């Protein structure tokens, strides 16, 4: 566990330091801070992260041994119960693996894949700009980082989804479309960005308007999203039909069955619910996107219930939880008093450390602990 915690602390500390020094000196510290978790990812053994052995290393080996890109795409291997082929994966992923492996080698392939997750996440946090970036990155490290060592393709899509949300808020169409295309080129589930931004526009059609009445209207819309989300859990057959219509029929098997309430997924988020209740008045009043954050939090919890149907279908929750790097710090900084703010940050970090230890360490989710180098 110590390699992870050491890198998390060092990276966050360097980011915090970069925010307190002269602008012309910041770039070095930021690059170093973002490189540390990427180096950790690059040096990991092949069994760290289940999908590292399932598809990353086979595609790296295929790139190493192939004499042409077409030969590389046609390479296949047998894994557990089926044959997999390089061409089965999205072209953005296969292209990055091919180029980086040919030019630089396996270490740099794993390093660059992780950087494609870390960099967009950090850029999104800086774009939001309301709260210290070190805290947002610490939220990322303690909730998502270990999963990125496993589900690499989808993690890139999630990172660019988060950045795409920020571009949407800024009304930067080129940035938004670029994030959508890059995300989908690594994992087709990146189309969730369209759903999230549509929901954002539904909740907050006028970003400049933030009055007591508008906040109440937004909360009513969040309540509607909650009702529709719960209804969807009881209508998975309808969800499957929609997936077929929009060209995502390959994911229908992930929703084949009935769900049952997963108590642990709810309880693991209960401390955050408590922080939201404690800070509700100030948070709802001071954070213009609080209602959107609540909607995303609700959808995260509802999607996690899908793990009772298929463990892989619950992964869609990562797209909604991506905004936690913005939402969690906002809970801590909604109070102006330094003493209360310090208490909220301490409580948040305490919860995140326990969550990370229990989720990744005790339960062994994503098979990343203990850390082993190549």
């Amino acid at each position: 566990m110590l390699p992870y915690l050491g890198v998390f602390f060092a990276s966050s500390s360097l980011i915090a330091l970069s925010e307190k020094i002269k602008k012309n000196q910041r770039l070095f510290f930021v690059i170093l801070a973002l490189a540390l978790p990427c180096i950790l990812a690059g040096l990991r053994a092949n069994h760290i992260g289940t999908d590292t052995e399932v598809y990353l290393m086979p595609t790296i080996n295929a790139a190493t041994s192939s004499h042409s890109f077409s030969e590389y795409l046609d390479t296949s291997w047998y894994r557990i119960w089926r044959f997999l082929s390089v061409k089965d994966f999205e072209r953005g992923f296969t292209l990055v693996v091919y180029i980086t492996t040919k030019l630089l080698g396996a270490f740099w392939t794993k390093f660059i894949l992780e950087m494609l997750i870390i960099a967009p996440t950090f850029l999104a946090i800086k774009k939001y700009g309301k709260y210290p970036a070190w805290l947002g990155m610490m939220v990322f490290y303690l909730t998502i980082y270990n999963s990125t060592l496993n589900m690499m393709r989808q993690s890139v899509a999630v990172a660019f989804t988060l950045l795409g949300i920020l571009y949407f808020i800024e009304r930067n169409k080129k940035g938004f479309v670029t994030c959508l295309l890059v995300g989908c080129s690594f994992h087709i589930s990146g189309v969730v960005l369209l759903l999230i931004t549509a929901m954002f526009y539904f909740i907050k059609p006028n970003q400049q308007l933030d009055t007591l009445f508008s906040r109440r209207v937004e909360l009513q819309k969040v309540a509607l999203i909650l009702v529709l989300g719960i209804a969807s859990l009881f209508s998975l057959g309808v969800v499957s039909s929609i997936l077929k219509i929009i060209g995502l029929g390959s994911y229908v098997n992930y929703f084949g069955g009935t769900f049952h309430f997963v108590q642990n997924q709810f309880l693991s988020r209960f401390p955050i619910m408590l922080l939201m209740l404690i800070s509700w008045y100030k948070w709802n009043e001071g954070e213009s996107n609080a209602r959107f954050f609540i909607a995303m939090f609700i959808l995260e919890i509802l999607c996690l219930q899908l793990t009772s149907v298929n463990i892989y279908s619950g992964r869609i929750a990562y797209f909604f939880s991506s905004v936690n790097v913005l939402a969690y710090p906002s809970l801590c900084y909604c109070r102006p008093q330094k003493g209360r703010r310090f208490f909220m940050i301490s409580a948040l970090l305490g919860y995140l450390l326990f969550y990370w230890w229990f989720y990744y360490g005790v339960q062994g989710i994503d098979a990343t602990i203990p850390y082993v180098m190549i």
Side-chain angles (χ1 to χ4, degrees), residues 21 29 91 135 169 176 244 340:
I21 60 178
F29 289 95
R91 194 61 76 238
L135 185 56
I169 293 174
F176 172 78
K244 290 179 181 178
R340 291 188 177 183

Side-chain angles (χ1 to χ4, degrees), residues 231-259 306 309-310 313:
S232 297
L233 288 177
F234 290 95
S235 310
L236 293 180
V238 176
V239 175
S240 297
S241 298
I242 294 174
L243 289 175
K244 290 179 181 178
I245 292 172
I246 62 177
L248 297 176
S250 59
Y251 291 92
V252 167
N253 292 335
Y254 293 162
F255 300 92
T258 56
F259 92 99
L306 292 172
V309 180
N310 187 302
S313 58

Side-chain angles (χ1 to χ4, degrees), residues 204-211 213-215 218 288 291:
K204 202 174 183 64
N206 187 346
Q207 295 183 38
Q208 307 304 319
L209 186 63
D210 190 25
T211 64
F213 176 76
S214 68
R215 290 195 291 270
E218 289 173 16
S288 59
R291 279 69 60 193

Side-chain angles (χ1 to χ4, degrees), residues 70-309:
S70 60
E71 181 185 342
Y72 163 68
L73 291 178
D74 289 333
T75 304
S76 61
W77 61 94
Y78 189 80
R79 183 66 189 179
I80 303 178
W81 54 272
R82 58 172 177 158
F83 278 100
L84 294 175
S85 175
V86 174
K87 61 186 176 185
D88 293 336
F89 302 105
E90 291 82 358
R91 194 61 76 238
F93 168 75
T94 56
L95 191 60
V96 167
V97 171
Y98 183 77
I99 294 173
T100 55
T101 301
K102 284 294 189 184
L103 296 178
L104 303 170
F107 165 80
W108 287 104
T109 298
K110 290 187 281 187
F111 179 98
I112 290 172
L113 283 173
E114 191 64 34
M115 184 59 77
L116 286 172
I117 302 167
I118 298 286
T121 300
F122 177 76
L123 183 57
I125 294 171
K126 292 296 289 184
K127 274 185 170 295
Y128 201 62
K130 294 183 179 181
Y131 314 106
W134 73 265
L135 185 56
M137 288 304 295
M138 187 60 84
V139 172
F140 168 81
Y141 290 142
L142 293 174
T143 59
I144 299 176
Y145 176 81
N146 287 69
S147 294
T148 68
L149 303 181
N150 176 30
M151 46 181 223
M152 294 146 285
R153 292 159 43 237
Q154 191 167 19
S155 294
V156 174
V158 169
F160 277 94
T161 293
L162 174 63
L163 183 57
I165 294 170
L166 270 295
Y167 279 127
F168 181 83
I169 293 174
E170 292 180 349
R171 301 174 186 246
N172 185 330
K173 295 180 181 179
K174 290 182 179 180
F176 172 78
V177 172
T178 299
C179 288
L180 176 64
L181 294 177
V182 172
C184 290
S185 73
F186 276 82
H187 202 281
I188 192 61
S189 60
V191 297
V192 172
L193 173 59
L194 296 175
L195 172 65
I196 293 174
T197 50
M199 185 176 65
F200 180 89
Y201 185 77
F202 170 69
I203 295 172
K204 202 174 183 64
N206 187 346
Q207 295 183 38
Q208 307 304 319
L209 186 63
D210 190 25
T211 64
L212 178 60
F213 176 76
S214 68
R215 290 195 291 270
R216 287 177 177 174
V217 172
E218 289 173 16
L219 281 174
Q220 292 172 359
K221 293 177 179 178
V222 171
L224 177 59
I225 290 172
L226 171 62
V227 172
L228 292 175
I230 293 174
S232 297
L233 288 177
F234 290 95
S235 310
L236 293 180
V238 176
V239 175
S240 297
S241 298
I242 294 174
L243 289 175
K244 290 179 181 178
I245 292 172
I246 62 177
L248 297 176
S250 59
Y251 291 92
V252 167
N253 292 335
Y254 293 162
F255 300 92
T258 56
F259 92 99
H260 63 266
F261 180 65
V262 185
Q263 184 178 358
N264 290 343
Q265 297 290 6
F266 178 82
L267 292 176
S268 66
R269 269 67 179 179
F270 183 76
I272 296 299
M273 298 180 198
L274 195 59
L275 286 178
M276 287 180 176
L277 287 174
I278 292 173
S279 305
W280 173 246
Y281 179 76
K282 292 290 185 182
W283 188 50
N284 184 51
E285 187 180 67
E287 173 51 65
S288 59
N289 293 311
R291 279 69 60 193
F292 171 66
F293 290 154
I294 292 173
M296 295 287 279
F297 185 72
I298 288 171
L299 290 174
E300 174 192 356
I301 294 176
L302 292 178
C303 287
L304 286 171
Q305 300 302 311
L306 292 172
T307 55
S308 63
V309 180

